[in-house]
């Protein structure tokens, strides 16, 4: 039933996770389908591979930010 709703009206994605400034993971509020922004800025189905890539990107992104922040403080 919920899937039929999505087929008719399209998925209603809400941000489930911020990976970097430009890459986010989204989840459909109706059917729970998960997608993510890929490197070209399009939405792709969130596969385990992409989830892993996002985790790596998130890690790098946060490290870079911490480093930048520390440098600014110092
Ligand atoms: Zn949906």
């Amino acid at each position: 039933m919920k899937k039929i709703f999505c087929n008719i009206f399209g998925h209603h994605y809400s941000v489930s996770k911020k990976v970097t400034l430009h890459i986010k993971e989204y989840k459909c509020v109706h059917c729970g389908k998960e997608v993510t922004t890929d490197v070209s800025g399009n939405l792709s189905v969130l596969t385990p591979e992409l989830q892993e890539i996002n985790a790596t990107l998130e890690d790098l992104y946060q490290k870079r930010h911490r480093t930048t922040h520390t440098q600014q403080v110092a």
Side-chain angles (χ1 to χ4, degrees), residues 57-73:
L57 285 175
E58 187 185 19
D59 195 44
L60 288 173
Y61 180 76
Q62 287 182 355
K63 270 184 194 155
R64 197 164 56 202
H65 267 239
R66 264 203 302 272
T67 310
T68 310
H69 187 68
T70 312
Q71 279 169 350
Q72 279 171 349
V73 171

Side-chain angles (χ1 to χ4, degrees), residues 6 11-12 28 30-33:
C6 288
H11 297 286
H12 185 146
C28 177
H30 299 297
C31 69
K33 181 181 175 162

